Amino acid sequence: MNPTLKRVIFAIAGAAAGLLISFIFFADLNKGDQNASANQSKAEKVFVPYGEKDEYYMMASGGHSGQLFVYGLPSMRKIRTVPVFTPDPATGYGYDAKSKEMLGGYTWGDFHHPAISETAGDYDGQFLFANDVGNNRVAAVDLETFHTVDIMSLPNMGGPHAGVFVTENTEYIALPTRFARPLDGQFAPLDDYESEYKGVVSMTTFDREAKKFDLAYQIVLPPWSYDLSDAGKKMSSDWIVMTTYNTEFATTNLEINASQNDRDYIVLLNWKELEKQVAAGNYKDVNGAKMIDPREHKGAIYAVPVAKSPHGVDVTPDGTRFIAAGKLAPMMTVFSFQKAFDAIEKGEFTDEKYGIPVLNYEDVMEREVDPPGALGPLHTQFDDRGNAFNTMFISSEVVKWNVDTGEVIDRQPSYFSPGHAAATEGDTVSPDGKWLVALNKIAKDNFLSVGPSHPESMDLYDISGDKMEHIMAVPVDPEPHYAQIIHRDKIKTITVYPKDEARPNSVWKQDDARIERNGNEVHVYGIAMRSRFIFDAKADRPDAVTVKQGDRVFFHMTNIDLDQDITHGFGINEYDLNFEVQPGQTSTLEFVADKAGVYPIYCTNFCSALHQEMSGYLLVEPK
Amino acid sequence: MKGKLSIASMISLLVASAITVMTIFVPWWQMKFYAPQYQEGLDIIVYPTRLAGDIDIVNGLNHYIGMALFSNESFPELQYMPYIIIAFAIAILVVALIRRKMPLYILIGSFAMGGIVGLLDMYRWLKEFGTNLDPRAPITLDPFIPPIIGKNTIANFVTNSYFSYGGYMLLLVFLLLVFPLWKDRKKA
């Protein structure tokens, strides 16, 4: 045999033997079993047996669905969809007179960032506020009933993306604008962008008793795009921080043109100072809003340079620092409020940008955290042990790091491309540090396919240990942007509306159900109960209503079943009308009976064994 | 003091009188309903002066089987019960003070009589409500008489009837009334 060939054969045989031995000694033949047991322990962490309940509510924005999605944690079971900016036939939202008026003719909204009302920087669980980037509105959901109770339109805005966030005691619900526009609904060509277009922050207040919004004042700013924002806490509670992009004043192809500067800015606003100035009358009335220019008031506004095109800016639970995540620069920057206050005190400004004093980056920056290969940090959440958690949109992961040291502690993949994350009470003064949910933008083929329109996805992580543990991925309807996770003990719901005999239009005794006619208006004061409608107690057929074509008809319906979960629906055949009355609730349906004929009325929400029989007739006599 | 009740007996009667008054403020009898959809239970709670509990919900459900409505008005007894109770309490107090045996015998006799009449009255109402069902009701049930004490099943509901605090307090009153008979028994 050729000695060279022999050597080669021996070498191959030796290598093969080595591989065999290493396989016998080191190969993990039980890998499948180990995965199974790891999966079992993950499942045990989140399984909520019948009779028990989840520990947390997750309130997830529904994006351009205009709805609020309520999830239970840790099970990640969806509990309810609450309509906010979008009509919802399942609950009659947008059909009954009150909610129809509240929606103001709009059929959608773009809800990005929920904010639960706070007291002393902690969720108090009474109300949840929602922004509508699509149509410049702010809404409040009463967490006693999970019903939307007020919606207010905001003038002078161009999509309040950078809200909502609340100040420490919900003094203000703030909404900075994303797109700059000319004020007062005026026209101005895009060539005049720098001079005529403005960025605006709406400072709204909410009366918890009357459940009503009010626009306290608006802040006029340069036509930058305001992306995200947060309110200070404790030592920084007078301040608001907001990220900006498009300091280039680009008016077209923003993807390129708004990404040219190496630095954009974080804007610091002193809302306490502005409040004082507004009270002193230092504002202009613009389109019904009290408009104040903070640049005219010393100490009201500053800017800090930040890595370009940032997204999130988040204040630490102790209120001492704010962390900016630069989505196009691969790092998180920790800034110190104290350093900023010191620099302001010394009057150390580099230059002025459009009348705004700009603080030195080095004067305010405490540290930069740049985990290798981590790209596209978007948003920061916190635990109760001094750690921060950042979502990385581009490298599709969650990074855990220590705020004080900048040490990167753990990195876990997400599936895929997380936007915001929400940790248990992770943006309050006292985070719980138990769970984190990454709200992902891309699901690909993680779930059973439903064709080209994919669900979004959410990853649940256990963050109670030193290392994060990915527990599961869950599909969700489009599209949660941000969510807040609140402990169940803070939510105090009612299960049945209280019987209020003084409530306008309510009827509580069957004998009091009646129909009143006034010209061409027909008011039905009716009752829904298991399992019948009573519109006119005295009539031969108490569940029939006869009107004339063209009459304006009002069905004032009270559900007198004061029993948990006995909801009655009310649909009118071919009239495109349907609404609901919850136990103890009174609601009004108003419409013009413009079509002559006979239209069955029936209970649309299954209520009892004789639900099918719960029906009546609307008889519209031809003109 | 020959023939008079002892001090201990007098105290026993005074306590009985006080407890009798207290029964006005507590429920005497209760019926609890359970169904798969009502695992927390629905209550009918009978005070000597009024009905309490989930009366509206029970009425709402009862219309399916054609049972008449419960309300304070449907039981006229509830209006004069407090007077009967007060009268008994005063009678016990008087017997305690005069400390004679004969009035005590009469008192015990009428108290026992009152108890029997009360039970018969309850039975009458239970029979009235359970057997006088509207024949046009959507669900046809055979007439039934719920027991005063114990378990019964009606459609998807299991009912438990039982005496409540007031019932037991009245039993205690009875024991306190007969206590002097034993305490001051003739010794051979």
Side-chain angles (χ1 to χ4, degrees):
Chain A
M1 199 183 267
N2 181 328
T4 314
L5 184 64
K6 213 171 175 178
R7 273 206 302 279
V8 170
I9 289 170
F10 272 115
I12 290 170
L19 276 174
L20 183 65
I21 287 162
S22 68
F23 177 75
I24 290 166
F25 281 91
F26 302 112
D28 188 353
L29 297 172
N30 295 319
K31 206 164 181 187
D33 287 352
Q34 280 183 356
N35 270 344
S37 79
N39 283 339
Q40 189 184 347
S41 90
K42 287 179 183 180
E44 282 169 351
K45 280 186 181 184
V46 298
F47 179 66
V48 179
Y50 177 73
E52 289 176 29
K53 286 169 189 165
D54 280 301
E55 191 180 359
Y56 290 94
Y57 287 86
M58 178 166 75
M59 315 289 191
S61 69
H64 46 296
S65 78
Q67 297 160 328
L68 169 72
F69 303 146
V70 182
Y71 277 76
L73 244 67
S75 75
M76 297 300 285
R77 290 177 300 190
K78 188 180 181 189
I79 296 170
R80 201 72 169 99
T81 295
V82 178
V84 180
F85 295 114
T86 305
D88 176 36
T91 53
Y93 184 76
Y95 293 79
D96 70 84
K98 185 171 180 249
S99 58
K100 192 176 173 185
E101 191 195 334
M102 225 161 40
L103 285 177
Y106 287 102
T107 57
W108 77 291
D110 192 5
F111 173 16
H112 278 228
H113 306 117
I116 296 167
S117 57
E118 293 182 11
T119 301
D122 210 354
Y123 301 148
D124 58 40
Q126 290 190 5
F127 292 92
L128 179 140
F129 305 107
N131 61 333
D132 173 11
V133 183
N135 296 305
N136 304 322
R137 291 177 295 171
V138 59
V141 176
D142 185 347
L143 295 181
E144 205 177 52
T145 55
F146 281 72
H147 279 189
T148 306
V149 287
D150 194 28
I151 297 178
M152 179 171 67
S153 286
L154 304 164
N156 306 318
M157 302 289 287
H161 180 275
V164 290
F165 62 94
V166 298
T167 51
E168 201 172 48
N169 291 296
T170 322
E171 292 95 340
Y172 293 96
I173 301 110
L175 302 96
T177 203
R178 172 176 168 189
F179 302 104
R181 280 171 107 178
L183 294 182
D184 208 5
Q186 296 292 310
F187 175 83
L190 280 163
D191 287 341
D192 299 342
Y193 188 84
E194 278 189 51
S195 58
E196 296 303 316
Y197 285 54
K198 306 291 177 195
V200 169
V201 181
S202 288
M203 299 295 279
T204 68
T205 54
F206 186 73
D207 180 336
R208 297 194 193 203
E209 287 299 311
K211 299 178 185 179
K212 272 271 166 218
F213 281 109
D214 190 28
L215 178 57
Y217 60 95
Q218 288 187 324
I219 306 165
V220 62
L221 293 170
W224 297 336
S225 290
Y226 300 92
D227 195 7
L228 272 173
S229 42
D230 200 2
K233 300 176 173 84
K234 297 182 176 177
M235 60 95 73
S236 57
S237 63
D238 294 354
W239 294 83
I240 285 170
V241 286
M242 307 188 296
T243 52
T244 59
Y245 62 95
N246 196 19
T247 51
E248 295 86 347
F249 297 122
T251 54
T252 183
N253 193 8
L254 261 58
E255 177 189 25
I256 301 297
N257 294 328
S259 305
Q260 295 304 305
N261 293 350
D262 276 343
R263 299 263 180 216
D264 284 300
Y265 296 95
I266 290 180
V267 176
L268 279 75
L269 282 168
N270 186 329
W271 63 265
K272 269 275 166 66
E273 178 62 27
L274 290 169
E275 182 182 70
K276 214 183 304 169
Q277 295 296 342
V278 170
N282 294 324
Y283 61 82
K284 282 187 197 122
D285 188 282
V286 179
N287 202 1
K290 294 173 181 171
M291 189 70 74
I292 182 165
D293 190 335
R295 292 166 290 189
E296 292 169 4
H297 303 285
K298 194 169 176 291
I301 187 167
Y302 299 93
V304 182
V306 65
K308 74 173 175 184
S309 298
H311 192 61
V313 57
D314 298 279
V315 176
T316 53
D318 62 7
T320 59
R321 282 158 290 186
F322 52 99
I323 297 166
K327 69 185 180 222
L328 294 187
M331 64 178 177
M332 287 78 74
T333 314
V334 182
F335 295 97
S336 159
F337 272 111
Q338 194 54 56
K339 285 186 167 188
F341 297 162
D342 291 345
I344 291 166
E345 182 90 358
K346 287 185 201 139
E348 287 172 358
F349 312 119
T350 48
D351 58 357
E352 293 214 350
K353 273 272 177 209
Y354 289 84
I356 302 172
V358 178
L359 303 174
N360 270 314
Y361 177 74
E362 287 73 20
D363 287 351
V364 185
M365 190 270 290
E366 195 174 285
R367 71 179 48 78
E368 294 171 343
V369 179
D370 186 4
L375 295 174
L378 281 194
H379 180 231
T380 314
Q381 288 279 287
F382 302 95
D383 71 8
D384 52 342
R385 299 179 294 282
N387 300 308
F389 299 82
N390 274 83
T391 43
M392 299 287 167
F393 185 84
I394 298 170
S395 57
S396 196
E397 60 183 321
V398 178
V399 175
K400 175 182 179 179
W401 55 282
N402 186 283
V403 176
D404 287 330
T405 63
E407 181 206 351
V408 174
I409 299 166
D410 193 19
R411 296 167 68 164
Q412 290 290 333
S414 77
Y415 308 96
F416 305 96
S417 296
H420 285 266
T424 42
E425 310 214 340
D427 61 1
T428 70
V429 291
S430 61
D432 282 3
K434 287 186 180 170
W435 305 99
L436 180 112
V437 175
L439 303 159
N440 305 321
K441 297 305 179 194
I442 310 285
K444 304 277 300 213
D445 56 357
N446 280 338
F447 310 104
L448 290 176
S449 172
V450 288
S453 178
H454 291 63
E456 311 298 320
S457 92
M458 308 187 289
D459 288 302
L460 176 72
Y461 301 86
D462 179 349
I463 56 165
S464 60
D466 195 30
K467 298 286 178 189
M468 296 179 281
E469 187 183 11
H470 182 272
I471 304 291
M472 62 173 155
V474 178
V476 55
D477 276 337
E479 121 166 343
H481 288 253
Y482 183 40
Q484 286 184 329
I485 303 173
I486 178 171
H487 195 274
R488 65 181 181 197
D489 290 350
K490 290 184 180 164
I491 301 285
K492 307 251 187 303
T493 56
I494 58 165
T495 49
V496 170
Y497 282 91
K499 182 175 181 176
D500 174 9
E501 299 192 52
R503 187 189 300 149
N505 303 324
S506 67
V507 179
W508 299 94
K509 289 201 192 87
Q510 298 185 29
D511 291 344
D512 293 344
R514 65 197 185 277
I515 299 173
E516 291 177 4
R517 290 184 166 77
N518 182 9
N520 67 346
E521 279 194 4
V522 180
H523 287 266
V524 179
Y525 297 91
I527 275 173
M529 59 179 283
R530 277 172 290 182
S531 311
R532 69 181 81 152
F533 293 113
I534 307 174
F535 302 132
D536 183 356
K538 310 252 172 344
D540 291 339
R541 296 185 182 90
D543 45 18
V545 175
T546 305
V547 301
K548 290 198 171 59
Q549 190 178 0
D551 278 354
R552 182 168 287 276
V553 183
F554 299 77
F555 276 97
H556 308 285
M557 297 301 298
T558 302
N559 178 352
I560 64 164
D561 278 320
L562 295 167
D563 194 358
Q564 189 169 334
D565 205 9
I566 305 300
T567 298
H568 294 298
F570 184 105
I572 306 180
N573 225 194
E574 270 181 16
Y575 256 91
D576 193 29
L577 291 171
N578 178 49
F579 76 132
E580 257 188 18
V581 265
Q582 306 298 332
Q585 192 183 27
T586 305
S587 285
T588 296
L589 185 71
E590 181 190 337
F591 63 100
V592 176
D594 47 9
K595 288 188 283 193
V598 174
Y599 300 93
I601 293 171
Y602 69 104
C603 177
T604 47
N605 192 300
F606 214 109
C607 60
S608 67
L610 295 166
H611 160 74
Q612 188 80 0
E613 281 75 4
M614 186 167 172
S615 60
Y617 280 101
L618 172 69
L619 301 121
V620 185
E621 293 173 346
K623 261 187 210 164
Chain B
M1 296 295 279
K2 193 173 171 296
K4 279 219 160 184
L5 296 176
S6 63
I7 296 291
S9 295
M10 184 177 82
I11 291 169
S12 175
L13 293 176
L14 289 176
V15 172
S17 174
I19 293 173
T20 305
V21 174
M22 287 192 286
T23 61
I24 296 177
F25 308 102
V26 296
W28 282 21
W29 185 81
Q30 231 167 304
M31 189 184 259
K32 196 139 186 147
F33 298 65
Y34 296 93
Q37 303 86 339
Y38 292 96
Q39 300 199 346
E40 72 284 7
L42 294 172
D43 279 311
I44 292 180
I45 304 170
V46 181
Y47 286 75
T49 51
R50 64 191 169 95
L51 299 181
D54 306 299
I55 304 300
D56 287 339
I57 294 174
V58 171
N59 279 332
L61 294 168
N62 279 350
H63 94 274
Y64 287 119
I65 59 169
M67 190 179 276
L69 293 180
F70 295 122
S71 71
N72 288 342
E73 289 72 42
S74 47
F75 302 100
E77 295 91 327
L78 298 175
Q79 283 151 49
Y80 49 82
M81 273 308 281
Y83 302 107
I84 297 175
I85 296 166
I86 296 287
F88 259 109
I90 290 169
I92 299 170
L93 187 67
V94 169
V95 172
L97 294 178
I98 61 175
R99 292 166 65 187
R100 310 280 311 188
K101 275 198 178 170
M102 186 44 82
L104 180 61
Y105 295 143
I106 297 169
L107 187 63
I108 291 170
S110 46
F111 191 84
M113 206 57 166
I116 291 163
V117 169
L119 289 174
L120 286 174
D121 189 50
M122 278 183 72
Y123 179 80
R124 182 174 71 90
W125 281 124
L126 289 168
K127 188 176 167 185
E128 170 80 20
F129 275 91
T131 56
N132 249 333
L133 301 174
D134 185 342
R136 297 190 65 247
I139 297 171
T140 308
L141 274 192
D142 288 335
F144 62 96
I145 304 173
I148 291 176
I149 300 177
K151 204 166 148 180
N152 191 33
T153 303
I154 309 158
N156 57 330
F157 277 92
V158 173
T159 67
N160 280 295
S161 329
Y162 49 92
F163 283 105
S164 187
Y165 308 106
Y168 294 111
M169 284 159 74
L170 290 172
L171 187 65
L172 181 62
V173 168
F174 185 73
L175 294 176
L176 290 169
L177 291 183
V178 298
F179 169 78
L181 301 184
W182 172 81
K183 175 73 184 166
D184 299 329
R185 66 194 180 279
K186 287 215 176 66
K187 286 175 183 118

